[in-house]
Amino acid sequence: MAAATTKASAQSVESTNDSTSLNLEVLQEMETATIKSLLEQTEKECEAMLKENFMFEKFFERIDPKDIAQLVQQQKPAAAVASNLSSNMELKAHRKRARSRASTTHTERLIQLTVEQKFDIATRELDELKEEILRKKDESEKCCDNHKAVMMEADIRRSDIKKAVYEFERDIVRGAINQRTKKILGEKVTRYFEDRLKAKDSLVDKLRLKNATLKARRVKLQTQLKQKEEAGDVRHEVDFEQLKIENKQYNEHYEGKNQELLRLKLSAGNTLQVLNAYKKKLHTLSLESSTLTSEMKHRRELLEKIETETNTVTKEKQKAEQLNKEARKQLEDYRVPDVMEYVGEKASLYELGKTVRAWERKVEIAELALRSYKQTWRRLCQQSKELNAAATGWPNASEQLPISYT
C-alpha cells in the first residue's frame, strides 16, 4: 500500500513537473498583451475566490452541524467521481502530458460546490446580512432616540437652571438686599427656597398623577387587546398580506403621482426659464425704450433750439439785408468831392491839428505852473501855521481849520 502510494506520488510529481515545463513553453510562445490579459483575468478570479471564501467562512461559522452533515453527504458522490477521474488521468499522464493541467482543473472543479449550493449559501448570507442591517438600524435608531431624549432632558434642565439662576439673582442677589446694611435678608432667602420646594412638590404631584393616568390607559389598552384576541378579532397573516398588497398598490400610485409631480416640476422649471428669458428681454427693451425716449427728448430740445437760432438768424438776415439795401442806396447816392475841395479840407484839418497840439502844450505848461504854485502855497501855509502857533501858544498846530489848496 505504501509502495503504491509512493509510486502514485512520484507519478504525480512527474506529471506536475511535465505540466510546469509545458506551461513555461506555452507562456514563452505567448505575446506580452495575452500574458497581461491572462494575469488580469487570474487576479479577478483570485479576488472573486477570496470573496467567496470569506462568505463561506461566515456561513460555516453560523451553520448547524446537521446542515454540514447534509452538505458532506451531497459532496460524497461528487468526490467519488472525482477520485475515479483522477486515477484515470494518472494512468494517461505519460501519454497525454499536455492535457494534465486541464484534467487536474476539471477534477478540482468537480470537487468544488455546485452552483445551486453556492446560490443557497449566498441567499442565506444575503438574508442574514439584511437581518443584521435591520437589527443594526433598529439599534442605532434606539440609540439615537435615547441620545435625543438625553439631549432634550439636558436642554430642559439647562433652561430650568438658567431660569432658577435668573430668578435667584433677581429676587435674592438684587432684591433681598437691605438698603441700610447692604446685606442679604435671611427671611427672603428662606421664603424663596420654601416657594421653590413647594413648586417642586406640586410638579412631582402633577407628574405622579400623569404617570398614574398613563398606567391606567396602558392597562385599558392591554385589556382591549386581550379581549380582541379572545374574540378572534385579531389580524392574521392573510390580513397582513392583503395590507401589503394594498400598500404596494398605494406605493405604485404614489410613485406615479411623484413622477407626474416631477414632470410638472420640470415643466414649471422650463416655463420659469422661458419667463426669466422674456423678463430679461423686456428689461433690455425697457432700457432701450427709456434711452430712445431720452434721446428723442434731447433731439426735440435740440430741434427747438435750432428753430430758435434759425428764427434769430432769419431776423438778423433781414436786418442785414435792410442795412445792405440802405448801404447800397447810400452808395448809389454818394457823390465824389472835387480835388481842390478835398485839398482845402485836408489843409484845414492839418491846421486844426496844429492848433490842438499848441493848446495841449499850453495846458501842460499851465499844469506845471499850477503844481509849483501849489507847492509854494503849502510852504506858506505851513510857515503861517508855525507863526500863529508860536504867537498864540497853541500846543498843537493841527487843531486849526483845514485850508483848501484848490
Side-chain angles (χ1 to χ4, degrees), residues 184-205:
I184 298 174
L185 298 175
E187 296 177 357
K188 290 188 177 182
V189 176
T190 305
R191 188 166 58 252
Y192 173 77
F193 282 110
E194 287 177 355
D195 294 337
R196 294 290 297 175
L197 290 173
K198 288 180 181 179
K200 292 290 183 182
D201 292 337
S202 62
L203 181 61
V204 168
D205 294 336

Side-chain angles (χ1 to χ4, degrees), residues 131-142:
E131 291 177 359
E132 186 176 359
I133 290 171
L134 292 175
R135 187 169 58 256
K136 293 293 184 182
K137 187 176 180 181
D138 294 336
E139 291 178 357
S140 62
E141 288 179 355
K142 289 180 181 179

Side-chain angles (χ1 to χ4, degrees), residues 58-59 65 106 114 153 162 188 204 214 256 350 360 364:
K58 289 182 68 178
F59 174 73
H106 184 65
T114 60
E153 185 180 359
K162 285 184 178 179
K188 290 188 177 182
V204 168
L214 291 174
Y350 180 72
E360 288 178 353
E364 290 177 358

Side-chain angles (χ1 to χ4, degrees), residues 247-275:
N247 189 16
K248 186 177 180 181
Q249 292 176 356
Y250 285 132
N251 286 330
E252 291 177 355
H253 182 69
Y254 180 72
E255 290 294 331
K257 292 295 182 181
N258 283 335
Q259 293 294 330
E260 186 177 359
L261 180 62
L262 181 61
R263 183 176 58 79
L264 292 175
K265 283 184 179 180
L266 291 174
S267 178
N270 294 329
T271 307
L272 186 62
Q273 289 180 358
V274 174
L275 180 61

